[in-house]
């Protein structure tokens, strides 16, 4: 099994590599950013990609979209510190084959990797419940951020970390005006008025 892990923390990459290699015969490759991961995928064949959500620059959801556009059959397992209720359904909608949190047990991680690499979906009981709820409820129900598009959600998360409109524009290679428009739109959707209010909400829910 040939695995590519995309995560900006070296200690996490090495730890996961050591864990999986102790149980399964694998060839492990690493990338410290989404862009590096995309470049490696363009020049190498992998059986599965382990992808983090929170990374500098483009986040995991955006990288996932680009990845599925260039390699639609490549299985991607999201391995994130964020609870499933914040990102998992979005990840599945964008083409991920599964979502697992970094506080999982070694056995859970191995099972998820083998299942996804084998062409199947990895759906935990909690994630299955979340997915069913997302499909069966109106989009205006649930958490306030559920009504946001992926791009709006990404920008909301960056604002909540304290980044300015200019910094976000530079990071996402978009104009300041575009980011300002997204900011105004997402605040209206979430019935909020200030960045501080948005940050408090995101921190309380563990989104950032």
């Amino acid at each position: 099994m040939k695995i590519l892990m995309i995560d900006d923390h070296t200690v996490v990459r090495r730890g996961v590599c050591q864990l999986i290699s102790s149980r399964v015969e694998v060839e492990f490759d690493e990338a410290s950013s989404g862009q590096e991961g995309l470049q490696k995928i363009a020049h190498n064949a992998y059986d599965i990609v382990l992808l983090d959500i929170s990374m500098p620059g483009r986040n995991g959801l955006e990288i996932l979209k680009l990845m599925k556009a260039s390699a639609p059959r490549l299985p991607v397992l999201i391995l994130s510190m964020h609870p499933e209720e914040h990102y998992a359904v979005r990840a599945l909608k964008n083409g991920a084959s599964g979502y697992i949190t970094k506080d999982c047990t070694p056995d859970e991680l191995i099972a998820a990797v083998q299942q996804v690499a084998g062409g199947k979906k990895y759906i935990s009981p909690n994630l299955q419940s979340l997915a069913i709820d997302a499909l069966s409820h109106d989009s205006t129900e649930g958490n306030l951020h559920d009504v946001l598009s992926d791009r709006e959600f990404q920008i909301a998360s960056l604002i909540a970390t304290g980044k300015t409109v200019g910094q976000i524009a530079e990071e996402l290679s978009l104009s300041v005006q575009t980011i300002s428009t997204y900011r105004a739109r997402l605040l209206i959707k979430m019935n909020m008025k200030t960045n501080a209010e948005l940050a408090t909400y995101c921190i309380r829910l563990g989104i950032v």
Side-chain angles (χ1 to χ4, degrees):
M1 190 191 313
K2 191 169 183 179
I3 298 175
L4 171 65
M5 182 167 187
I6 306 174
D7 192 297
D8 60 313
H9 293 99
T10 302
V11 67
V12 174
R13 297 196 308 270
R14 301 293 165 80
V16 171
C17 173
Q18 185 174 8
L19 172 62
I20 296 177
S21 299
S22 69
R23 305 281 195 94
V24 183
E25 187 174 344
V26 296
E27 183 178 344
F28 208 89
D29 199 0
E30 305 175 26
S32 60
S33 69
Q35 192 59 41
E36 183 185 359
L38 290 171
Q39 292 172 353
K40 291 202 169 190
I41 288 168
H43 296 94
N44 299 280
Y46 299 100
D47 295 303
I48 181 175
V49 173
L50 302 183
L51 177 63
D52 190 18
I53 289 285
S54 297
M55 295 183 290
R58 289 172 165 166
N59 72 6
L61 290 179
E62 190 171 2
I63 293 300
L64 174 61
K65 284 183 177 180
L66 295 172
M67 198 178 296
K68 299 307 290 187
S70 62
R73 296 189 177 183
L74 178 62
V76 179
L77 175 65
I78 301 296
L79 179 60
S80 173
M81 68 176 185
H82 296 287
E84 292 171 322
E85 56 265 29
H86 297 322
Y87 286 95
V89 173
R90 288 180 185 271
L92 290 177
K93 287 180 177 179
N94 287 340
S97 295
Y99 188 106
I100 192 167
T101 57
K102 289 179 179 177
D103 62 356
C104 66
T105 67
D107 287 341
E108 288 172 335
L109 178 59
I110 296 296
V113 168
Q114 291 179 321
Q115 197 161 319
V116 170
K120 299 179 180 179
K121 300 283 188 182
Y122 176 78
I123 308 293
S124 69
N126 184 46
L127 180 51
Q128 186 175 22
S129 175
L130 289 171
I132 291 173
D133 287 344
L135 292 172
S136 61
H137 287 75
D138 185 87
S139 61
T140 59
E141 297 181 3
N143 293 315
L144 294 176
H145 64 270
D146 290 343
V147 301
L148 302 180
S149 68
D150 289 337
R151 177 66 84 181
E152 290 167 346
F153 184 66
Q154 179 186 23
I155 291 172
S157 301
L158 292 172
I159 291 173
T161 64
K163 293 188 176 182
T164 66
V165 168
Q167 290 172 327
I168 296 171
E170 182 177 358
E171 183 171 320
L172 300 182
S173 299
L174 296 171
S175 70
V176 169
Q177 181 59 47
T178 297
I179 300 300
S180 296
T181 300
Y182 274 118
R183 175 188 173 277
R185 186 185 304 160
L186 70 88
L187 287 176
I188 290 172
K189 285 186 175 182
M190 297 180 71
N191 195 28
M192 295 180 181
K193 295 182 179 180
T194 66
N195 290 356
E197 192 176 0
L198 175 63
T200 300
Y201 172 85
C202 290
I203 292 170
R204 178 167 56 83
L205 268 68
I207 294 174
V208 296

